[in-house]
Amino acid sequence: LLYQMAFRGWRLRAGAGAGVHLVRSRIAARWELVVVPAATAAAEVSRRIGPGRVLAEVGYAAGFVDGEVADGRTGGLFATLGYGVDL
């Protein structure tokens, strides 16, 4: 799911989607590796500079693990600052 719009030379985008988290848990000598369902929501702002775009993105990812070694929440806040070139 993605929404985007242009505003005075800036591109604004917001989106949400489903995915997975690969979770490795270890307590003492016991460990496990599980894949759990997750959801992500993010917002981005970018502006064309030269052949590409400078962009900043913030978002949140959330998932839940219920394993033999550990159970709880996965994910958290994320932020990205970068430069992208359309190929």
Side-chain angles (χ1 to χ4, degrees), residues 50 55 84:
L55 60 95

Side-chain angles (χ1 to χ4, degrees), residues 57-59 77-81:
E57 178 183 47
V58 295
L77 295 172
F78 61 87
T80 304
L81 180 62

Side-chain angles (χ1 to χ4, degrees), residues 1-5 12-16:
L1 175 63
L2 178 69
Y3 174 79
Q4 86 178 22
M5 66 179 277
L12 310 171
R13 299 172 71 171

Side-chain angles (χ1 to χ4, degrees), residues 5-87:
M5 66 179 277
F7 180 73
R8 296 186 182 188
W10 294 88
R11 182 172 68 188
L12 310 171
R13 299 172 71 171
V20 297
H21 288 169
L22 181 63
V23 181
R24 182 178 184 267
S25 303
R26 178 177 165 209
I27 298 176
R30 296 180 58 205
W31 71 275
E32 69 182 342
L33 185 66
V34 294
V35 176
V36 298
T40 301
E44 174 190 305
V45 61
S46 66
R47 184 171 186 95
R48 180 161 293 286
I49 296 179
R53 302 185 79 79
V54 160
L55 60 95
E57 178 183 47
V58 295
Y60 186 78
F64 298 92
V65 62
D66 183 16
E68 293 180 15
V69 173
D71 77 44
R73 298 179 183 181
T74 64
L77 295 172
F78 61 87
T80 304
L81 180 62
Y83 186 82
V85 178
D86 293 331
L87 299 177

